Amino acid sequence: MDKKIISTGAIFGMLAIILGAFGAHALKKVISIEELATFETGVKYQMYHALFLLFIGLTTELPQKIKKTIYYLVVVGVLFFSGSIYLLATNSQTSFDFKVIGFVTPIGGLLLISGWGVLLVNFLKKKT
């Protein structure tokens, strides 16, 4: 499981850099400043959680069951939160109105918060 978590973290990190560069260079010319700022929020949160997954995969302080729970919360959370933000920020460039999927953004945020919460609860329960 650790290899899968670290690999996913590395992929999320690489994609965050690629998407950040894409936003800064290509999207900058075709979307508004507000839309670009929204897009960058998705990139930042994706990178934060890529680093979080690397930490989770590398730590020996967590049981595998907890790591697996955090992994799935973060992966789905990033896909919902950052993924929907990317689509919403570039909505003006498509014929499909991505505002209809806007409800998944807060669900993704809640999943990301839950991943951090699982980490916190596990460490608070841990005997020293």
Side-chain angles (χ1 to χ4, degrees), residues 47-116:
M47 181 57 84
Y48 298 152
H49 288 88
L51 296 172
F52 183 47
L53 286 176
L54 292 176
F55 167 75
I56 296 301
L58 291 170
T59 188
T60 57
E61 297 293 316
L62 293 169
Q64 287 299 313
K65 183 178 178 185
I66 297 297
K67 286 184 177 191
K68 188 175 184 179
T69 300
I70 292 171
Y71 172 78
Y72 286 113
L73 288 168
V74 170
V75 168
V76 176
V78 166
L79 293 175
F80 279 20
F81 184 81
S82 292
S84 66
I85 284 181
Y86 298 143
L87 295 173
L88 290 166
T90 58
N91 196 43
S92 63
Q93 302 303 305
T94 66
S95 59
F96 183 79
D97 187 7
F98 286 108
K99 290 179 184 173
V100 299
I101 61 139
F103 71 93
V104 302
T105 308
I107 294 169
L110 184 60
L111 292 171
L112 295 173
I113 292 165
S114 298
W116 287 93

Side-chain angles (χ1 to χ4, degrees), residues 23 26-33 35-37 39 89-90 92-93:
L27 287 180
K28 183 177 177 182
K29 300 170 187 166
V30 296
I31 63 174
S32 71
I33 300 222
E35 290 169 327
L36 187 59
F39 190 88
T90 58
S92 63
Q93 302 303 305

